[in-house]
Amino acid sequence: QVRVTESGGGGSALAGGSLTLSCKFSGLTFDDYSLSWFRQVPGKEREGVSSIKFRSGTTNYADSVKGRFAISRDVNYDTLTLQMNDLQPEDTATYYCAAGFPLRWTIARGYNYWGPGTQVNVSS
């Protein structure tokens, strides 16, 4: 059985600041999952932020976060991290980690396992 826990990192920051989100997956088999971060604001669809392949480490980023966010994974501890730098008010959202085999990394319904979500608030 797969368990997904998000361990801290959410919270508040000023524009230009940084936060780090972490997520741990327990029970995943050693398949080449896509491990991803999504975010959602009320009234809008869940948006893909970044993704990394578990085995190869290949990464993808939404255009809105390229150059500011960095995704990484620790294959020994099944952890996923999102380093968020130069945060902007438009980054305010609930952030979710996810694992699965989507046809495209940005398609939320392609993911089997989701974290509970952590709130990030950025003020100007």
Side-chain angles (χ1 to χ4, degrees):
Q1 184 175 357
V2 177
R3 291 182 58 195
V4 186
T5 55
E6 297 187 29
S7 55
S12 299
L14 294 176
S18 299
L19 288 172
T20 303
L21 304 181
S22 296
C23 181
K24 182 172 177 64
F25 298 87
S26 301
L28 285 178
T29 60
F30 292 102
D31 289 329
D32 202 15
Y33 280 90
S34 288
L35 303 177
S36 301
W37 289 97
F38 283 75
R39 65 187 181 187
Q40 190 170 25
V41 297
K44 292 191 175 181
E45 291 189 359
R46 201 162 289 192
E47 172 193 25
V49 175
S50 184
S51 184
I52 187 168
K53 298 291 280 187
F54 181 75
R55 284 186 176 175
S56 67
T58 302
T59 59
N60 289 284
Y61 294 93
D63 288 343
S64 58
V65 305
K66 279 181 182 177
R68 300 188 298 122
F69 290 12
I71 192 171
S72 62
R73 91 271 187 249
D74 185 327
V75 297
N76 294 316
Y77 296 101
D78 293 341
T79 57
L80 179 68
T81 300
L82 185 69
Q83 176 65 43
M84 305 185 293
N85 299 320
D86 191 23
L87 283 162
Q88 300 300 316
E90 53 266 34
D91 296 317
T92 295
T94 302
Y95 284 72
Y96 299 89
C97 58
F101 297 98
L103 290 177
R104 294 181 65 180
W105 73 271
T106 54
I107 301 176
R109 66 178 180 271
Y111 291 83
N112 307 88
Y113 308 106
W114 289 88
T118 187
Q119 182 66 33
V120 171
N121 296 309
V122 184
S123 56
S124 58

